[in-house]
Amino acid sequence: MVLSVFVKVCGLRTQEDVKAAVAAGADAVGFVFTKSARKVDPAAVRPLLADVPDNVLTVGVFAGIPAADAARIAHEAEVQAVQLHGDYPRGAFEEFDGLPFRLLRATTLTEDTDVTVGAYGEEMLLLDSPVAGSGERWDLSVLARSAPAGKWLLAGGLSPANVAAAIETAKPWGVDVSSGVESARGVKDHELIRQFVSAAKAV
Ligand SMILES: O=C(O)c1ccccc1N[C@@H]1O[C@H](COP(=O)(O)O)[C@@H](O)[C@H]1O
């Protein structure tokens, strides 16, 4: 049996966004709790989760804030998983030991990046473009030669038009998108969400 690619739709801000992602067949929905056009308040996220079924993972995205604050905000928002995005050291992930969150380590791919999934105690690794959430594409050719193994997600400049080719090239376990399913920065386009999930799942 060939499993379809895991799809995370990130940067959701409204009930309609959440419903659109769930209806499209997303496996995970992401909420940004850091400086961004997509930033949401943890208390405002809680009611949005009522429309998320048990089989869809809810993820809080954090960058540039201490791990302890991320844990507190994730707890307040009642998300299931924490995505530490950027230059978080191994110790930041250790601060989640004993806490009830699944962990994603999101980073840019450089020659120094440890691409072993779980190297920092995370369940999933996410490889993104150098500027998180920018919609910028990056060179995937290195992944075609030596991709990580296991539960790793590809992000950065993905869209309904390019996600199938990106999956064919990099062969990720999952994909993550934000800018490519927006009509304007921070404003989700529900038809683009539907097209993105459909294109990714069809590979
Ligand atoms: O979306 C943001 O604003 C953001 C801010 C800070 C850290 C991560 C952020 N988003 C992550 O970026 C990728 C999506 O990138 P793209 O917009 O599709 O190019 C995804 O991992 C988001 O979780």
Side-chain angles (χ1 to χ4, degrees), residues 82-93:
V82 167
Q83 175 177 323
L84 295 184
H85 209 113
D87 297 327
Y88 284 93
R90 202 178 299 258
F93 290 82

Side-chain angles (χ1 to χ4, degrees), residues 29 75 111 136 160 175:
V29 288
H75 180 75
E111 58 188 26
E136 284 174 25
V175 290

Side-chain angles (χ1 to χ4, degrees), residues 140-172:
L140 303 184
S141 59
V142 61
L143 290 168
R145 294 192 293 277
S146 58
K151 289 171 79 169
W152 77 276
L153 287 84
L154 177 68
L158 298 178
S159 71
N162 67 26
V163 67
I167 293 169
E168 299 282 10
T169 300
K171 305 205 170 13

